[in-house]
Amino acid sequence: KIFGVFDPLPEPFNTPLISASITFVMWCGIACLAYVALRMIWARIFKNDDDDRKDITKTTGRMMILVIIVIGIRKSLIVFGAYDVIINAVEDVTNLILVALGTIIAWSIYKNLISTLFHKSERNGKLTGVDTTLIPLFRMIGKVVISVCSVSAFLSILGMNLMAILTGAGIVGIAISLGAQGILTEFFGGVSILVTRPFKVGDMVQIGTEKNIYEVRRIGLLNCEFKNWTNREHYILPNSAVSTSSIVNITGRTDIYRIYLYFDVDYDAPIERTKEIILKHAYNNSD
């Protein structure tokens, strides 16, 4: 039957080949309709983010068409009446292809949704402490979860024992964690900084016992980059040192901050004249 549901056409068009061909064409039509529907959905969700909309529409649209066409090929073979051995082999191959395509679709949707949500939250200011610096952390978490699910699905389709693989992976993971304690320490220090949000990019801070004031340039998962505002030097500190130190955020939640400057003058210098010179240069400074 056409599409596995409708009665075959009258003679001479009631052959299995024609029924299977019509079924495949109908699946291709469904793929085109799904692509149009996806474009409408993404246009609605990402109406204020052109780059994210174009990226997710392009990726998920193509992958969705391929997914439905792969399903259509398998269903058409069933309508054609192919041998069970061929159908089973095609099903195994198509299942692997569907997992791969599903992984790409899931990652594209997750990546763009996270980017859009955080940009929107930062613009609206509805969630305190939420801004785009959290995007790398959430993308990494999503990448790990999606990758684990995809690999598990692949191994399950291939008929492997997941429990044995997970046990072996756990042993390997313990060995790796023992050998990479330093990297893991920095990583979890970075996660702590990104979650607790003691500062954000652009803030002026003091770290630990340091008296120098630094401007936050970048917050990474392994280290943070600062700039000394007095001489423009760049400092890269490991996250373990930053997360375990006391942090004084001079900027805080506003763009106004106070900085103490200390001047050494000769004992014989007149105090009033000294104040006059300091204030003169301070008022003449555009910053």
Side-chain angles (χ1 to χ4, degrees), residues 167-181 184:
T167 302
I171 297 173
V172 174
I174 293 173
I176 293 175
S177 63
L178 291 175
Q181 287 183 0
L184 291 176

Side-chain angles (χ1 to χ4, degrees), residues 65-285:
I65 289 176
L66 290 175
V67 165
I68 297 177
I69 288 178
V70 168
I71 295 174
I73 292 173
R74 186 169 65 185
K75 297 296 183 181
S76 299
L77 285 174
I78 296 174
V79 172
F80 180 72
Y83 292 112
D84 290 341
V85 175
I86 297 176
I87 293 176
N88 292 334
V90 170
E91 282 187 351
D92 291 336
V93 173
T94 54
N95 285 335
L96 292 174
I97 295 174
L98 290 176
V99 170
L101 296 176
T103 302
I104 297 173
I105 292 173
W107 169 243
S108 178
I109 293 174
Y110 179 84
K111 175 185 67 174
N112 288 283
L113 281 177
I114 286 295
S115 177
T116 299
L117 288 174
F118 277 96
H119 279 99
K120 186 178 293 184
S121 298
E122 188 178 57
R123 287 195 301 265
N124 297 338
K126 292 182 179 179
L127 297 177
T128 304
V130 173
D131 56 42
T132 52
T133 56
L134 286 173
I135 291 177
L137 173 62
F138 279 85
R139 280 188 175 179
M140 185 205 63
I141 294 173
K143 189 179 294 185
V144 171
V145 172
I146 293 173
S147 299
V148 170
C149 293
S150 299
V151 172
S152 300
F154 268 117
L155 296 178
S156 178
I157 292 172
L158 295 175
M160 296 185 181
N161 189 341
L162 289 181
M163 291 304 298
I165 294 173
L166 290 175
T167 302
I171 297 173
V172 174
I174 293 173
I176 293 175
S177 63
L178 291 175
Q181 287 183 0
I183 295 176
L184 291 176
T185 301
E186 305 303 338
F187 169 76
F188 286 110
V191 172
S192 174
I193 292 172
L194 288 171
V195 172
T196 58
R197 315 309 308 282
F199 49 73
K200 62 181 183 296
V201 174
D203 282 356
M204 309 295 286
V205 298
Q206 288 178 308
I207 306 295
T209 58
E210 285 274 349
K211 296 301 180 183
N212 290 327
I213 298 171
Y214 301 102
E215 179 185 347
V216 183
R217 296 298 302 275
R218 184 183 63 85
I219 304 172
L221 289 175
L222 297 180
N223 53 57
C224 293
E225 184 178 335
F226 303 91
K227 180 178 69 176
N228 188 332
W229 73 280
T230 56
N231 54 21
R232 302 297 179 182
E233 291 182 3
H234 283 74
Y235 293 84
I236 298 177
L237 296 178
N239 284 335
S240 59
V242 177
S243 61
T244 56
S245 300
S246 60
I247 299 171
V248 178
N249 193 329
I250 299 173
T251 308
R253 299 296 178 185
T254 70
D255 293 330
I256 301 171
Y257 53 89
R258 177 175 56 191
I259 295 175
Y260 291 97
L261 299 177
Y262 297 92
F263 297 92
D264 293 329
V265 296
D266 190 87
Y267 282 110
D268 296 331
I271 298 300
E272 294 302 323
R273 177 60 178 160
T274 302
K275 288 182 179 180
E276 181 184 339
I277 294 172
I278 292 173
L279 291 174
K280 175 184 176 183
H281 284 280
Y283 289 137
N284 287 337
N285 192 320

